[in-house]
Amino acid sequence: MVIKRIFLIGFMGSGKSTLGKRLKSELGWDFLDLDDYFESRYQTTIKQYFAEQGEQAFRKAEQALLSEVTGLEQVIIATGGGTPCYFDNMAVMNRSGLTIYIKLPVKTLAERLMGAKQVRPLVAGKSGEELVTYIQEKLAEREAYYQQANVIADGDVLGVDGFVRIIKASGDLL
Ligand code: S3P
């Protein structure tokens, strides 16, 4: 299989953007963060957009942007945590590239999100305990979508080199 684009998927705080930027230099491909793309397209923050238009409108706009970026080549795309879980987004990604789920335990996600939750409308303002409960419940709902990824990677143990190895073993890069 020839890989034309790579989609990084996983819960908020799983490190999709951080990994994507590192893979960019390792593979010599472009990197695109779907959340950043959304914010520059709509000239607003995701938090503001949720507040003004609601989550449903966000999901529709996110779906449209996703289908736009499936036309790009030699690009690593960091998706939003909810992207794979709406419409047929997961099937769209699986059809057009290699999908990698960065899997992490609830505890690690909670620790990471604790310091970075204010910009994320779904977790902003939650206490530590509320955050853990939210992640447990949401992850249980989303896991079925994330599990459809071509590659399920243990985000705790796999370094960038490990990801590069898995990608190269999955097909030929365009
Ligand atoms: C969301 C995750 C966010 C962003 C939006 C909704 C989600 O992306 O798309 O706040 O539903 O999990 P990150 O996973 O990059 O934080």
Side-chain angles (χ1 to χ4, degrees), residues 68-141:
E68 240 182 68
V69 303
T70 55
L72 304 175
E73 294 191 342
Q74 297 192 312
V75 61
I76 302 137
I77 298 157
T79 62
T83 312
C85 316
Y86 293 86
F87 311 108
D88 60 346
N89 292 352
M90 196 64 219
V92 166
M93 291 190 277
N94 275 334
R95 266 202 306 272
S96 64
L98 181 73
T99 51
I100 304 178
Y101 170 28
I102 309 171
K103 191 174 166 66
L104 281 169
V106 172
K107 189 169 172 290
T108 313
L109 293 171
E111 282 162 10
R112 293 206 193 162
L113 280 174
M114 208 47 213
K117 60 185 160 72
Q118 293 316 335
V119 295
R120 293 173 161 103
L122 296 174
V123 291
K126 291 200 190 308
S127 68
E129 213 174 299
E130 287 166 344
L131 187 61
V132 170
T133 307
Y134 178 83
I135 297 170
Q136 277 165 343
E137 291 174 0
K138 206 68 178 172
L139 194 55
E141 253 173 64

Side-chain angles (χ1 to χ4, degrees), residues 11-12 16 35 46 50 58-59 62 79-82 120-122 142:
F11 207 79
M12 288 174 268
K16 301 174 294 270
D35 288 339
I46 290 179
F50 262 65
F58 172 76
R59 296 303 171 192
E62 181 184 47
T79 62
R120 293 173 161 103
L122 296 174
R142 291 181 168 180

Side-chain angles (χ1 to χ4, degrees), residues 2-29:
V2 176
I3 303 168
K4 296 183 174 173
R5 48 195 82 77
I6 296 169
F7 296 94
L8 301 178
I9 71 167
F11 207 79
M12 288 174 268
S14 57
K16 301 174 294 270
S17 305
T18 307
L19 175 67
K21 284 176 198 156
R22 298 195 58 190
L23 289 175
K24 170 191 159 98
S25 47
E26 290 291 326
L27 304 178
W29 277 18

Side-chain angles (χ1 to χ4, degrees), residues 35-53:
D35 288 339
D36 292 347
Y37 192 52
F38 179 95
E39 293 187 342
S40 75
R41 172 66 58 89
Y42 287 91
Q43 286 296 295
T44 184
T45 62
I46 290 179
K47 194 175 179 189
Q48 185 82 17
Y49 192 92
F50 262 65
E52 288 171 5
Q53 312 285 333

